Amino acid sequence: MRHESKEGQSMVLKSWSQSKFMIDSTPHAVLVSSWCKFPFYEVDFGFGKPMWVTTGSMPANNWTILIDGMGGGGIDAYVGMELKDEPYLEEALDMKVIDT
């Protein structure tokens, strides 16, 4: 499913709306969102394409947002959390995820 389709957009919005429930019901939830492969570096508002893309601010604690790095040479990770919660992020990153 592609993110620009109606179904893809609906899936993204539904997952974001459920994230508040997940945070409230799970004491050590670490939510990870990937914005990779979105064409942020192709946007041109008349000033040229961006040199660097960032989220601006984090929506809450215990969030990680992944964005393609400049030039496609890696991934930038924006992490918002308290230091005491860092082990939970490390645990989440070690989990195996199956893409269906």
Side-chain angles (χ1 to χ4, degrees):
M1 181 177 328
R2 299 192 47 89
H3 63 272
E4 67 267 10
S5 71
K6 291 274 187 203
E7 294 83 15
Q9 293 171 0
S10 176
M11 182 182 69
V12 169
L13 290 173
K14 183 178 177 182
S15 68
W16 276 88
S17 67
Q18 292 174 343
S19 65
K20 175 73 170 124
F21 170 76
M22 289 173 51
I23 290 172
D24 291 343
S25 64
T26 308
H28 301 294
V30 177
L31 302 177
V32 179
S33 178
S34 174
W35 294 4
C36 294
K37 301 202 184 225
F38 284 91
F40 294 119
Y41 286 98
E42 299 303 315
V43 175
D44 187 342
F45 293 107
F47 305 105
K49 293 181 181 179
M51 294 176 54
W52 183 48
V53 175
T54 182
T55 62
S57 65
M58 296 300 291
N61 280 337
N62 296 343
W63 278 80
T64 300
I65 298 176
L66 306 173
I67 300 178
D68 290 316
M70 184 174 63
I75 296 176
D76 294 335
Y78 296 91
V79 180
M81 67 175 37
E82 295 182 36
L83 189 57
K84 68 178 179 61
D85 293 324
E86 184 179 336
Y88 303 111
L89 173 63
E90 292 174 0
E91 179 182 337
L93 293 174
D94 287 339
M95 294 176 67
K96 296 189 184 328
V97 178
I98 299 172
D99 191 332
T100 57

